Amino acid sequence: MPPLFPLLVRRRLLRRLAGTWRVAVLSAPAGFGKSTLAAQAIRGRRATWIRIGPDHRALSNLIGAWIGAASARADGALPRTRRLFEVHRDLERDLGLLTASLAAEFPPGRGERVLVLDDVHELDGATEVIQWLTRVLLSMGPRVRTLVTCRGSCPLPLARFEVEGGVLQLGVDDLAFTLAEEHEWLARVLGAPTARRVTAELRDSFRGWPAGLALAVRGLSEAP
């Protein structure tokens, strides 16, 4: 289904994400456009996207999802890791071999790849999974940059990555629309004259919350 309203390219945030970091965290409640911004940030880059869900609190499911996401790309089959994963019988016994293979094969080829972990808050409290994920990401070195979206605090130990290339954190205040962004977006949706009239009212009501603005504008659009 096409989006109800046109998306806004978050240029000021994309400039920050174009800088140097090992892990970037987009942290805010639902409706702040975290996944949309992540998709804009990886456009034109070699990227693998894993949408994290409750099932990934089981380590075998997370490894399988990673292999599947990478294999969906023409340049990301991870053949050795996939074979090892398909024949493993005891994850505790085989985990070291699987981890080493994944770190060696990902990203395939030369150059950098961005790994997107969308909704990583689903892993909060899953200590074994977080420890494994941290270990494998660190073992890959600067070839892999990790872009994380989450609600609330990021469960990854960010201090570990701070000394391994830096951490960029964008929170609610960053992800909220600025007044200029609100006006630009509203002008595209409602037309410039209407946008000038309603921007101040919406600013006071929603404090830059993109989803709230969209709901309000939907109401305006559907009003008789």
Side-chain angles (χ1 to χ4, degrees), residues 151-197:
R151 302 177 190 177
S153 300
C154 176
L156 292 174
L158 297 179
R160 297 280 302 276
F161 297 96
E162 191 69 68
V163 297
E164 294 285 342
V167 174
L168 172 65
Q169 299 190 64
L170 301 178
V172 171
D173 291 342
D174 303 293
L175 293 167
F177 278 178
T178 64
L179 187 59
E181 287 172 334
E182 285 182 21
H183 185 77
E184 178 185 350
W185 186 76
L186 289 167
R188 294 173 60 192
V189 176
L190 299 175
T194 305
R196 282 193 293 271
R197 187 178 74 248

Side-chain angles (χ1 to χ4, degrees), residues 202-215:
L202 293 178
R203 185 70 181 175
D204 290 340
S205 299
F206 296 102
R207 305 291 181 184
W209 178 35
L213 291 167
L215 289 172

